[in-house]
Amino acid sequence: MRALNLRAWVLGGVAVAFAAFAAGCASVYNLPGNAPLGTALADNNFGRELPVYDDDVLLALSFSGGGTRAAAFSFGVLSELDRSRAGSGQSKSLLDRVDFVSGVSGGSVTAAYFGLKKRAALDDFRERFLLRNAEEALNTQLSLGNIGRALGGGVNDSQFTNWLDRNLFDGARFESFREDRRPRVWINASDIYNRTPFVFGKTAFDALCSDIRPYRVAEAVAASAAVPLAFAPIVLETYPGGCAAPLPAWLERARSDPNGQPLLKSYAEAHARYRDGSMRYVKLLDGGLVDNYGLSGFSIGLLAAQRPFEPITEQQAVKVRRIMFLVVDAGRGISGDFAQRIEGPNGVELVAAAADTAIDASVRASYAAFSALATDWSGKVRRWRCGLSAAERSRLGVGKNWRCGDISFAIDRVSFDQLGPARAGILNAIPTRFALPAEQVDLLIESGADALRQSKSYQAFRRGL
């Protein structure tokens, strides 16, 4: 999410020096919540990050940051997917066929809860989270003491983690995200030392020589939403020498390639530092700092591929016919009136505008880059399928009526813009907090469903099933 009461923290800037002196800049920090692999898992074989599905559809969702506003808008999209029936006898909804869900900040709350509870999340997520005041345990007031805490590392430490764990996730651990069932959940944070995305999954935790299974889901979601100054970073400990298996080959290739893609190379170098002992702790903040759409994990998977069909398996690649990526964007539109006057922006407006500019420029670039990567990948898969020999088709179990070119790909952004200027203006005015009135929550849920219905790409995908 964008900064919780960011403008309030900037107010009184001239008093910061005094506040730092008065409060003594007491250090605020979180203790690491991850465990080492242990002897039984020391030779861990770096299990798959991707689900193995058994049908001809690949449906992926990515939920942007934006506090409860993003969580509610994303929830509306899930509700609409559940109204869309597909499959033999229309027995399943499209919600049952989601393969991946990636989330950032507020969007990560919805992604994680859906990943844990599947369709049952539709029954109580509104009451358990969207209508709750998730800020009730947080320090949100502007005061000299809180400014001192902000300068000492962050106003809040583990309050949000514990609130989520107690009120929403019921102590759930990552072992609940089983590898043998849909959807695969990716929670995204920012590694602020390496300046790279951090995707909570086996690849990252294996690089840490850490066991992800007992790690709290609430802690990952809190890391994804940890706005600088408002929250202290979530901390992970590295355990160099705690596992014998080498880093995956694709990470080593990316590190050694002088002409490699910068995103992939920096991601690989970060994982090497986790493993080699040059970093004792990984410090994580809001995923929106590097990627407010949560597309980095998908992009890295495509960039790391060594064969045309990767990152999916060749068995999946010959079977798939319809691929859809939906990016659910609850980002805020432009605001402020300093463009109408000669003076300004003032200090508060300047900080807010600079943060908005950086985030919006980043998400536009990430969406464009991912669109190009994914479109190119779908073409590679089609060409690979059509180049299979008779023997290879037999090995992969291809039927007589199989058509190599029968594969379609689409990516679409579901946003406030699709609802018209008037409605988008109302939605953009809703603040990016973790506490909203019921009427705004319900408006966002309804708007998410309406925006998905108005997506031409999504409707074409439905018709093609």
Side-chain angles (χ1 to χ4, degrees):
M1 71 173 181
R2 296 174 198 254
L4 180 66
N5 292 335
L6 174 61
R7 291 166 175 78
W9 293 112
V10 179
L11 291 172
V14 294
V16 167
F18 171 74
F21 173 77
C25 281
S27 181
V28 181
Y29 58 91
N30 288 299
L31 295 174
N34 62 310
L37 280 174
T39 305
L41 297 173
D43 292 305
N44 196 13
N45 64 357
F46 298 94
R48 288 182 53 78
E49 290 279 14
L50 307 179
V52 178
Y53 53 86
D54 59 0
D55 62 16
D56 61 357
V57 174
L58 195 162
L59 177 57
L61 310 175
S62 185
F63 297 156
S64 81
T68 295
R69 185 175 74 177
F73 191 68
S74 300
F75 184 68
V77 169
L78 292 180
S79 300
E80 180 60 25
L81 285 171
D82 194 46
R83 296 185 190 103
S84 301
R85 316 307 291 184
S88 177
Q90 304 294 294
S91 59
K92 287 187 175 182
S93 79
L94 283 181
L95 196 67
D96 299 312
R97 304 182 76 172
V98 174
D99 296 289
F100 305 92
V101 58
S102 177
V104 176
S105 194
S108 72
V109 184
T110 311
Y113 198 67
F114 168 56
L116 288 169
K117 298 195 69 174
K118 304 295 200 300
R119 183 187 286 128
L122 300 181
D123 298 334
D124 61 3
F125 184 66
R126 176 179 177 273
E127 288 70 28
R128 293 196 69 182
F129 180 76
L130 298 177
L131 297 183
R132 294 288 303 276
N133 177 11
E135 298 176 14
E136 62 188 2
L138 301 179
N139 292 320
T140 60
Q141 299 301 312
L142 179 67
S143 67
L144 295 181
N146 278 345
I147 292 176
R149 287 174 62 85
L151 294 175
V155 177
N156 297 280
D157 41 43
S158 60
Q159 295 99 314
F160 192 48
T161 299
N162 294 334
W163 188 94
L164 288 169
D165 201 40
R166 183 174 58 253
N167 292 285
L168 185 64
F169 295 120
D170 301 319
R173 311 287 168 145
F174 268 78
E175 62 192 359
S176 300
F177 296 134
R178 298 208 323 261
E179 293 186 8
D180 61 347
R181 70 175 193 177
R182 289 164 157 163
R184 177 54 52 91
V185 178
W186 288 347
I187 305 301
N188 301 270
S190 298
D191 174 345
I192 57 173
Y193 181 78
N194 290 296
R195 299 172 235 171
T196 60
F198 185 94
V199 182
F200 282 88
K202 274 188 64 64
T203 297
F205 270 64
D206 285 343
L208 297 168
C209 290
S210 180
D211 187 358
I212 194 171
R213 297 175 305 167
Y215 192 71
R216 289 192 293 171
V217 173
E219 197 155 2
V221 172
S224 184
V227 175
L229 298 184
F231 295 92
I234 296 296
V235 180
L236 297 172
E237 187 169 357
T238 66
Y239 298 99
C243 48
L247 290 171
W250 67 266
L251 280 174
E252 296 292 358
R253 284 193 297 267
R255 288 184 65 208
S256 60
D257 184 0
N259 300 312
Q261 289 279 353
L263 172 63
L264 185 62
K265 190 173 180 65
S266 62
Y267 184 82
E269 288 173 344
H271 281 62
R273 293 186 187 106
Y274 302 160
R275 174 59 70 86
D276 66 16
S278 59
M279 292 179 64
R280 185 174 178 184
Y281 300 107
V282 181
K283 307 293 179 72
L284 304 174
L285 283 174
D286 193 325
L289 296 174
V290 295
D291 175 17
N292 205 45
Y293 279 173
L295 292 172
S296 294
F298 295 123
S299 296
I300 289 166
L302 294 175
L303 289 170
Q306 294 298 299
R307 302 179 67 184
F309 51 80
E310 292 178 346
I312 63 177
T313 68
E314 57 181 349
Q315 289 80 10
Q316 292 168 326
V318 296
K319 185 178 293 185
V320 68
R321 296 176 59 244
R322 302 292 178 260
I323 302 171
M324 180 89 217
F325 282 87
L326 288 171
V327 179
V328 182
D329 178 14
R332 193 175 62 177
I334 58 175
S335 61
D337 63 355
F338 60 81
Q340 307 302 324
R341 47 186 167 84
I342 187 65
E343 71 277 6
N346 60 36
V348 174
E349 293 170 328
L350 186 62
V351 171
D356 289 343
T357 299
I359 290 173
D360 287 351
S362 171
V363 296
R364 285 193 290 267
S366 70
Y367 183 79
F370 176 73
S371 296
L373 277 173
T375 301
D376 180 62
W377 171 72
S378 66
K380 289 178 180 177
V381 172
R382 183 179 291 106
R383 290 190 293 273
W384 171 80
R385 284 162 50 123
C386 292
L388 290 172
S389 67
E392 288 171 323
R393 291 196 299 272
S394 176
R395 175 176 62 84
L396 294 170
V398 171
K400 292 181 179 180
N401 297 323
W402 179 76
R403 292 178 295 167
C404 67
D406 184 16
I407 177 172
S408 68
F409 169 81
I411 177 173
D412 200 16
R413 173 176 158 265
V414 179
S415 69
F416 299 163
D417 299 342
Q418 291 161 304
L419 302 170
R423 193 169 175 186
I426 294 171
L427 295 170
N428 276 317
I430 297 174
T432 54
R433 300 187 58 127
F434 274 124
L436 294 177
E439 58 270 20
Q440 290 185 341
V441 166
D442 290 335
L443 176 61
L444 287 158
I445 294 172
E446 180 185 2
S447 298
D450 289 346
L452 182 58
R453 279 194 295 270
Q454 294 184 34
S455 165
K456 294 181 180 179
S457 296
Y458 171 68
Q459 294 303 334
F461 170 74
R462 284 187 58 200
R463 290 191 297 269
L465 291 177

